[in-house]
Amino acid sequence: MADETALETRIAARAKVAVGGVRSVFEAQGIPLGVPPARPRSLRIHRLRLAGVRTGTLEPGPFDKTFEFADGLTALVASNLRGKSSVLELVTWCLRGTPREMSGAIHWLSEVDLDATVAGQAMGFRLNLQSEEITSAIALSGPDQQTLATLRSPDPVQGVLPLFRATNSESYAHQVQALMMQWMDLQPLVSAQKGTTAVAHGWPAYYGALYMPPARSAALLGDVVMAGLPGRLLQVFLDLPAAAVLAKVKTQTTLMSTARQRRQSTATAAQAERAEQRGQIEADLAAARARLAQLTQAAGGSEQESLADLAEATKRLSTAAANSEEAWEELMRLHRQARSQRQRDEKLLNDVRESGIARRLFHGLDPTTCPRCDQGFAVERRQLEVRDHSCAVCARPVQGDDESPEDVVAEAEERVKSSAEAERLAKEALEQAETELDQVSRDLRAAQDRLRQADAAARVPEHAQAREDVLRLEGALSVLPELPSPAVDPAEELAIKVLRAAAKTLEDDHEREAARLFTDLNAEISALARTFGFAALESVRINRAAHLTITSDGGKERNFTDQVPGERLRLRIAVIVALLRVGAAHQISTHPGLLLIDSPKAEEIQDVDIHLLLQELDDVAATNHLQVLVTTADFSLAHDVLPAENIKEAAEGKPLW
């Protein structure tokens, strides 16, 4: 039995972190810390109705065919290319969401109805088709199969309610797959693709364990070998503890570890590349400096210093000239502003001396632009204010006179005096700035002339080039600083640490549970395979990755993929039935118990072998709550093995539907 200590506590102990840290990591990743045992997930089909109009030369015209299916083994018998495989594909379309392979006869269909019991719930799937595409569809739930069989639409009075509606094939596939995952109590099988992308496999992957793939397929369980899906299916169908959670944990660990490793590798590579670049530049700079020193010594040792000093002085004076010019322009702006203010104040003084209205408006606002649209007032508005005594802002008349004209005039005179003083100070500052700018400009021109003369006086052209090389390489080195070591994200480190501990803990749980189940599973597979005609088989050994090793022919070990197609088919069926038997013995929910097999006789199985296989499969299906649909073109085979009520056949050469 698995350790009864809480999973989060065991993970925390293994990762050496607090339990709260484990919870926070799982919550951040959206992964549950545990999943309760699966609910029963049996799946049975009861009725398939096909309606449409057949075209061509073989019995053309309308048709409406219904098939009834019971538990146990049912054979679909008809001549080749007469609709046997298409029945399996139409069942698959209804239950899986899409057919595995489109049959050429599907274009005849206008209506497809399938009634099934999904995890104990009676359901009906109603598809309306045109040109092999769904035009509308609905899934129904009902109280029982008898009620559903009479309806193609909801009937609340009889307890038949809609589960979903779809208007096209894509919508139907999406919704039926979500429905089946929910009702069959299944979780997406998540895997990491190339270590960078999480890929979720849903109901179609599970359905591959119901519809047997071609016998030559390399997959033991399901129809996809990639991403370890056969092993994932086996673990889910054995209800190993939190199999889907373990898959998510492993996938997320892989994704996060790969992302961190790639980021660190990129940073390390960038560091190495930057170090190589700096090393090359430093080597080139050392050589350039040695060359410059050699040329300077040859020139007497003074030339380089003179040129460097002059260049530095020129640079300093250029900066000073630019700053002085910028200061002069600002002072010029302030002087113009002060002059304009003095002129406005003088005009206002003249107005208040001559006009009572002006004196009355003296202490009010004097806007130059409209406060709403920010546009300047027209000259006419100002003239009207003086001439007609109407406000320049609102155009309303202004009446009356002030009671103390002398005070207003005095205040206006004071304003003129203040603005005149401000204008004077601004002019003095501007003149001072002009003087300083002229001086700096003269100094700059003189320094530039001396620098040109000094450069022209250099008698060794290589000296100037060597100096330029040193400056260029120093600049290149300054813009290539050493890169820091890759940053460590504490949250990421904690998540990876916790997820790795979780994967190991869940693996331990799986191993303990698998040891209990796989011994029984191996024994059941061996016994069933021999029953199905694998006479040379001695024993089998299957692991959690669904790798099957077969011992036969006096102790020779071979893998599942080494077997011939007929033996692969027997082994696949044996694994499914063994899952059901082990599940029943251990009271766990396993395979849904529905199996579709297309033309087993075509898989290189001799007549005597196929008779034995079907006989034993019929017995096993009856005793293990298994529903099996097989197709065959061999009329005598079906009647030799099965009673008439378990055979759905068409006359030789006639269509099955």
Side-chain angles (χ1 to χ4, degrees):
M1 296 295 291
D3 190 341
E4 296 298 332
T5 305
L7 178 61
E8 61 185 24
T9 302
R10 289 185 283 132
I11 295 173
R14 177 168 245 151
K16 295 181 175 59
V17 300
V19 171
V22 174
R23 292 175 186 155
S24 65
V25 167
F26 273 74
E27 288 173 1
Q29 301 303 322
I31 303 174
L33 264 168
V35 177
R39 301 189 302 270
R41 56 169 71 99
S42 64
L43 177 60
R44 292 292 180 272
I45 60 174
H46 305 287
R47 186 182 71 97
L48 176 68
R49 172 180 168 267
L50 310 175
V53 178
R54 185 182 294 104
T55 59
T57 59
L58 181 64
E59 299 187 9
F63 63 89
D64 194 326
K65 177 72 172 180
T66 298
F67 298 94
E68 303 283 349
F69 303 104
D71 277 0
L73 177 63
T74 298
L76 302 170
V77 187
S79 302
N80 289 328
L81 304 178
R82 291 296 179 263
K84 305 183 304 299
S85 297
S86 62
V87 170
L88 302 187
E89 293 299 338
L90 290 167
V91 170
T92 297
W93 195 349
C94 292
L95 293 179
R96 180 179 183 263
T98 55
R100 192 170 66 179
E101 295 180 3
M102 275 289 191
S103 168
I106 290 179
H107 68 278
W108 294 336
L109 293 166
S110 58
E111 295 180 357
V112 176
D113 298 348
L114 179 70
D115 293 337
T117 300
V118 181
Q121 174 61 53
M123 294 186 186
F125 302 89
R126 308 292 185 252
L127 280 58
N128 295 313
L129 308 177
Q130 184 176 351
S131 301
E132 302 183 7
E133 290 291 334
I134 294 175
T135 56
S136 66
I138 187 170
L140 305 171
S141 67
D144 51 59
Q145 291 299 330
Q146 291 74 21
T147 304
L148 281 174
T150 63
L151 298 171
R152 296 198 82 243
S153 59
D155 186 348
V157 175
Q158 299 188 64
V160 177
L161 302 175
L163 292 169
F164 68 78
R165 299 177 188 270
T167 57
N168 54 51
S169 299
E170 183 178 358
S171 173
Y172 179 79
H174 176 75
Q175 294 192 76
V176 79
Q177 289 167 18
L179 176 77
M180 298 301 287
M181 290 290 283
Q182 176 186 356
W183 278 88
M184 302 293 279
D185 196 20
L186 296 168
Q187 299 292 323
L189 300 170
V190 182
S191 61
Q193 187 176 46
K194 298 182 179 179
T196 59
T197 306
V199 179
H201 303 273
W203 174 238
Y206 286 104
Y207 193 86
L210 280 63
Y211 194 169
M212 292 285 99
R216 298 178 186 276
S217 170
L220 172 65
L221 196 61
D223 53 10
V224 178
V225 180
M226 62 175 291
L229 282 180
R232 303 282 180 83
L233 292 173
L234 181 65
Q235 293 173 31
V236 171
F237 288 148
L238 279 177
D239 201 21
L240 291 180
V245 173
L246 175 58
K248 290 181 180 179
V249 168
K250 284 184 173 180
T251 298
Q252 194 60 25
T253 304
T254 299
L255 293 177
M256 295 186 71
S257 299
T258 302
R260 180 184 64 177
Q261 182 179 0
R262 290 192 174 187
R263 189 172 63 252
Q264 291 176 341
S265 297
T266 300
T268 301
Q271 278 184 308
E273 183 179 2
R274 178 61 57 84
E276 183 179 357
Q277 291 173 337
R278 285 181 60 86
Q280 184 61 52
I281 293 174
E282 288 171 348
D284 294 343
L285 179 59
R289 283 172 174 167
R291 176 65 175 161
L292 180 60
Q294 181 183 9
L295 293 173
T296 300
Q297 185 178 8
S302 61
E303 186 68 24
Q304 172 62 18
E305 182 180 358
S306 174
L307 289 172
D309 291 345
L310 287 171
E312 181 62 29
T314 302
K315 178 180 178 182
R316 184 178 66 255
L317 288 169
S318 296
T319 302
N323 293 338
S324 296
E325 185 173 2
E326 183 178 352
W328 177 84
E329 289 176 351
E330 176 63 16
L331 289 170
M332 174 62 78
R333 184 185 66 78
L334 294 174
H335 175 256
R336 289 173 179 169
Q337 182 178 345
R339 183 175 61 189
S340 296
Q341 183 62 45
R342 188 259 304 163
Q343 291 172 345
R344 284 197 300 273
D345 290 343
E346 288 178 346
K347 183 179 182 305
L348 182 59
L349 174 61
N350 185 59
D351 289 344
V352 299
R353 282 173 174 169
E354 297 178 356
S355 170
I357 297 301
R359 288 192 296 276
R360 185 174 180 82
L361 296 174
F362 177 75
H363 292 292
L365 298 173
D366 186 25
T368 59
T369 60
C370 174
R372 294 190 65 194
C373 65
D374 203 32
Q375 299 186 66
F377 292 115
V379 177
E380 292 80 2
R381 299 290 291 269
R382 292 293 188 184
Q383 292 173 348
L384 288 173
E385 188 173 85
V386 176
R387 188 185 67 201
D388 298 337
H389 301 168
S390 61
C391 176
V393 177
C394 67
R396 294 182 179 178
V398 180
Q399 299 177 354
D401 198 352
D402 61 312
E403 298 179 356
S404 54
E406 298 83 1
D407 295 342
V408 173
V409 171
E411 185 176 345
E413 289 174 344
E414 185 62 30
R415 287 190 182 184
V416 171
K417 186 183 298 183
S418 297
S419 58
E421 177 64 16
E423 181 184 12
R424 184 186 67 78
L425 293 175
K427 184 176 181 181
E428 290 179 357
L430 177 63
E431 291 173 348
Q432 177 65 27
E434 287 177 344
T435 300
E436 293 176 358
L437 178 60
D438 289 342
Q439 182 61 48
V440 172
S441 298
R442 286 193 299 272
D443 293 345
L444 175 61
R445 288 193 294 272
Q448 289 172 335
D449 289 341
R450 290 196 301 275
L451 180 61
R452 282 193 294 271
Q453 292 171 2
D455 260 344
R459 290 173 294 179
V460 183
E462 292 88 350
H463 191 282
Q465 183 61 50
R467 175 172 162 269
E468 181 181 339
D469 290 343
V470 169
L471 294 175
R472 174 178 56 80
L473 291 169
E474 286 177 343
L477 197 61
S478 68
V479 299
L480 286 176
E482 293 182 356
L483 294 177
S485 299
V488 176
D489 183 351
E492 181 185 56
E493 293 298 312
L494 174 64
I496 293 175
K497 184 178 183 180
V498 168
L499 291 173
R500 283 177 174 170
K504 292 178 180 177
T505 302
L506 289 169
E507 283 282 5
D508 290 346
D509 291 350
H510 275 221
E511 288 180 4
R512 283 191 295 269
E513 192 67 16
R516 188 170 66 95
L517 296 174
F518 274 70
T519 299
D520 294 348
L521 188 63
N522 288 331
E524 292 289 353
I525 295 173
S526 300
L528 287 163
R530 284 192 291 269
T531 298
F532 293 149
F534 199 147
L537 184 141
E538 297 174 11
S539 64
V540 300
R541 185 174 67 257
I542 191 170
N543 62 15
R544 287 184 296 142
H547 294 154
L548 188 66
T549 302
I550 298 96
T551 302
S552 60
D553 300 325
K556 183 175 179 59
E557 287 191 352
R558 289 178 294 178
N559 293 323
F560 172 77
T561 52
D562 297 328
Q563 311 304 312
V564 299
E567 291 172 349
R568 291 188 193 182
L569 176 62
R570 292 185 182 89
L571 289 167
R572 285 196 184 96
I573 298 172
V575 168
I576 299 299
V577 178
L579 284 172
L580 290 167
R581 286 185 173 180
V582 171
H586 292 268
Q587 297 182 335
I588 57 177
S589 183
T590 60
H591 189 277
L594 173 65
L595 202 55
L596 310 181
I597 307 173
D598 191 18
S599 300
K601 188 176 179 180
E603 305 295 355
E604 299 183 10
I605 298 178
Q606 301 298 321
D607 287 346
V608 62
D609 294 336
I610 191 62
H611 275 73
L612 175 62
L613 174 61
L614 292 188
Q615 287 171 350
E616 295 298 336
L617 184 56
D618 182 37
D619 292 339
V620 167
T623 57
N624 291 274
H625 306 290
L626 181 67
Q627 185 180 41
V628 185
L629 270 63
V630 298
T631 66
T632 181
D634 189 333
F635 289 80
S636 61
L637 170 63
H639 287 280
D640 289 345
V641 175
L642 297 172
E645 60 268 20
N646 288 66
I647 301 174
K648 313 297 179 184
E649 70 178 324
E652 191 165 355
K654 298 294 184 179
L656 187 61
W657 51 272

